[in-house]
């Protein structure tokens, strides 16, 4: 998995203040489709539906990766546990007031594939690291990865720093540390770590895209574009790269290309929910309220527990009220 910190520049949509919706108890179906990153879809897989840790239903995917659960009403965990793939645990909140149908897209990642992921650190196998770096450095790095995956960024930072102390040439630790420091807006320290990661491993794209994100957040757009091009030469199918590139193009007024890039990011990684919010920004700039509303709904469908979700629900409520026929009388 690759560690990328999504661009957190101030969203236009979040300047609109509104109250979140109350939970709705009506039922609605969950319709899902499963895809395999850089692979063909295998034989049917079991998909499990859980509430509070208890399994209440299960279904098998069909030949095209589709599955469904009908007439459900709650906050669920949709789970796939298969020995060939990284485990999936996706939260789905049934909200018929937002959408009469919950469309769920799941991207499976082979356990043998070191592929891009929106959330989680960049991981290299223990065997590969053990052959090239001190044992203590690898141990601290792996502790950092575990803590970061648990959402304990401060603790992960400390372990990445210990890993770098034990193994100064451990490029992935510099990258992961730099990415976390971007998330904490410690841009000078983040830049230093990302530059070191690129110096130690010039063939790797992840630090390039993280650096492009840092340049975006600090307003250095020409530099962001330069790092993006460097990253795409090494990894042309990076979802995070397209997300950052779309954000850069939006801020330079290139709206058509921005929309294309952000949609491409979602195509490559349907779970990159923040790309929906960047599209909302884009549509609001162009006064495309109906498109903005659709993207807000998609965001809430994909990330109902995201820290931004309460504000997004308020913005959606306001935009829907403004778009209703009664508001125009």
């Amino acid at each position: 998995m690759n560690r990328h910190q999504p661009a957190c520049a101030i969203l236009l949509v979040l300047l609109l203040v509104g109250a979140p919706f109350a939970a709705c108890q009506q039922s609605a179906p969950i319709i899902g489709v499963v895809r395999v990153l850089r692979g063909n879809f295998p034989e049917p897989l079991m998909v499990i539906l859980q509430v509070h840790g208890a399994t209440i239903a299960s279904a098998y995917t069909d030949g095209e990766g589709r599955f469904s659960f009908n007439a459900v009403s709650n906050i669920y965990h949709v789970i796939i546990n298969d020995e060939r793939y990284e485990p999936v645990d996706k939260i789905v909140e049934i909200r018929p007031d937002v959408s009469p149908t919950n469309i769920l897209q799941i991207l499976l990642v082979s356990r043998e594939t070191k592929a891009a992921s929106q959330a989680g650190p960049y991981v290299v196998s223990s065997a590969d690291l053990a052959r090239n770096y001190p044992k203590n450095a690898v141990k601290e790095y792996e502790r950092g990865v575990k803590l970061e995956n648990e959402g304990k960024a401060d603790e992960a930072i400390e372990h990445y720093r210990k890993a770098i102390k034990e193994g100064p040439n451990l490029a992935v630790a510099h990258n992961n540390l730099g990415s976390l420091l971007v998330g904490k807006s410690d841009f000078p320290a983040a830049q230093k770590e990302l530059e070191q990661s690129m110096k130690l491993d010039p063939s790797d794209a992840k630090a390039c895209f993280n650096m492009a994100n840092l340049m975006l957040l600090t307003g250095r757009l020409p530099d962001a574009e330069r790092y993006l091009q460097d990253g795409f030469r090494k990894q042309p199918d990076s979802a995070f790269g397209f997300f950052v590139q779309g954000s850069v193009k939006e801020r330079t007024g290139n709206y058509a290309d921005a929309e294309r890039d952000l949609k491409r990011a979602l195509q490559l990684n349907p779970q990159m929910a923040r790309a929906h919010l960047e599209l909302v920004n884009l549509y609001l700039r162009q006064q495309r309220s109906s498109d903005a509303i659709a993207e807000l709904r998609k965001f809430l469908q994909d990330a109902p527990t995201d820290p931004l979700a309460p504000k997004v629900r308020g913005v959606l409520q306001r935009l829907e009220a403004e778009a209703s026929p009664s508001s125009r009388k």
Side-chain angles (χ1 to χ4, degrees):
M1 294 185 291
N2 300 340
R3 175 65 170 101
H4 295 304
Q5 180 69 33
C8 297
I10 297 175
L11 297 170
L12 295 178
V13 63
L14 297 179
L15 297 179
L16 305 173
V17 179
F21 287 133
C24 178
Q25 298 301 316
Q26 297 178 354
S27 64
I30 297 174
I31 298 175
V33 61
V34 178
R35 295 287 181 262
V36 177
L37 181 66
R38 297 174 186 165
N40 297 321
F41 191 77
E43 62 270 16
L45 296 172
M46 177 179 285
V47 184
I48 298 171
L49 195 66
Q50 289 189 349
V51 177
H52 303 307
T55 298
I56 63 168
S58 64
Y60 281 93
T61 56
D62 65 15
E64 296 181 359
R66 296 172 299 193
F67 66 91
S68 65
F69 297 103
N70 297 320
V72 290
S73 58
N74 211 315
I75 298 177
Y76 298 93
H77 286 256
V78 175
I79 295 172
I80 298 177
N81 279 319
D82 186 281
E83 62 183 9
R84 293 163 295 180
Y85 303 101
E86 292 296 322
V88 172
D89 185 342
K90 192 168 180 65
I91 297 174
V92 181
E93 181 180 10
I94 305 303
R95 293 289 305 275
D97 56 330
V98 174
S99 176
T101 302
N102 296 272
I103 307 297
L104 186 61
Q105 299 184 68
I106 295 176
L107 190 66
L108 292 178
V109 179
S110 169
R111 291 182 185 272
E112 298 178 354
T113 300
K114 301 172 184 67
S117 173
Q118 179 187 7
Y122 171 37
V123 178
V124 176
S125 73
S126 298
D128 290 341
L129 291 175
R131 286 194 293 267
N132 299 293
Y133 300 101
K135 181 179 178 181
N136 287 343
V138 175
K139 185 176 180 180
E140 293 295 343
Y141 164 75
E142 291 178 338
R143 285 177 176 172
V145 170
K146 180 177 183 295
L147 289 164
E148 187 174 352
N149 279 327
E150 294 172 355
K152 300 174 182 178
D154 291 335
E155 295 177 51
I157 285 173
E158 292 307 310
H159 283 284
Y160 287 142
R161 284 176 170 156
K162 290 178 181 178
I164 291 168
K165 183 177 180 180
E166 296 287 341
N169 294 332
L170 186 52
V172 290
H174 287 285
N175 176 72
N176 289 10
L177 175 57
S179 180
L180 285 178
L181 292 173
V182 169
K184 292 190 168 293
S185 299
D186 189 351
F187 299 129
Q191 183 169 344
K192 179 181 177 181
E193 296 300 331
L194 294 173
E195 286 174 345
Q196 185 67 6
S197 180
M198 289 186 289
K199 179 180 178 180
L200 292 169
D201 189 359
S203 66
D204 188 69
K206 284 162 284 296
C208 295
F209 292 128
N210 281 327
M211 185 70 86
N213 185 40
L214 188 157
M215 296 296 129
L216 167 66
L217 295 175
T218 54
R220 291 174 278 178
L221 301 185
D223 288 332
E225 292 176 339
R226 177 168 58 85
Y227 283 112
L228 282 166
Q229 294 311 307
D230 192 19
F232 280 125
R233 280 192 292 271
K234 301 165 186 174
Q235 186 184 351
D237 61 348
S238 168
F240 182 69
F242 278 106
F243 171 77
V244 176
Q245 181 167 269
S247 302
V248 169
K249 289 183 176 179
E250 178 197 343
R251 284 155 181 75
T252 58
N254 191 347
Y255 295 156
D257 285 350
E259 182 174 6
R260 180 200 63 200
D261 288 339
L262 292 168
K263 288 183 175 179
R264 178 62 174 154
L266 285 165
Q267 182 182 23
L268 290 166
N269 184 357
Q271 298 181 29
M272 187 171 281
R274 293 295 175 95
H276 291 301
L277 295 185
E278 200 62 50
L279 281 167
V280 170
N281 282 341
L282 179 64
Y283 295 147
L284 289 178
R285 288 178 185 269
Q286 298 174 294
Q287 299 184 343
R288 295 164 58 183
S289 295
S290 61
D291 290 328
I293 288 171
E295 291 301 325
L296 288 168
R297 289 172 176 169
K298 290 176 184 177
F299 173 84
L300 291 172
Q301 175 184 296
D302 290 348
T305 61
D306 189 282
L308 295 177
K311 290 185 178 180
V312 169
R313 290 190 183 98
V315 172
L316 176 61
Q317 185 179 38
R318 179 170 176 174
L319 289 178
E320 287 178 329
E322 292 174 352
S324 67
S326 61
S327 68
R328 294 192 291 267
K329 291 182 180 178

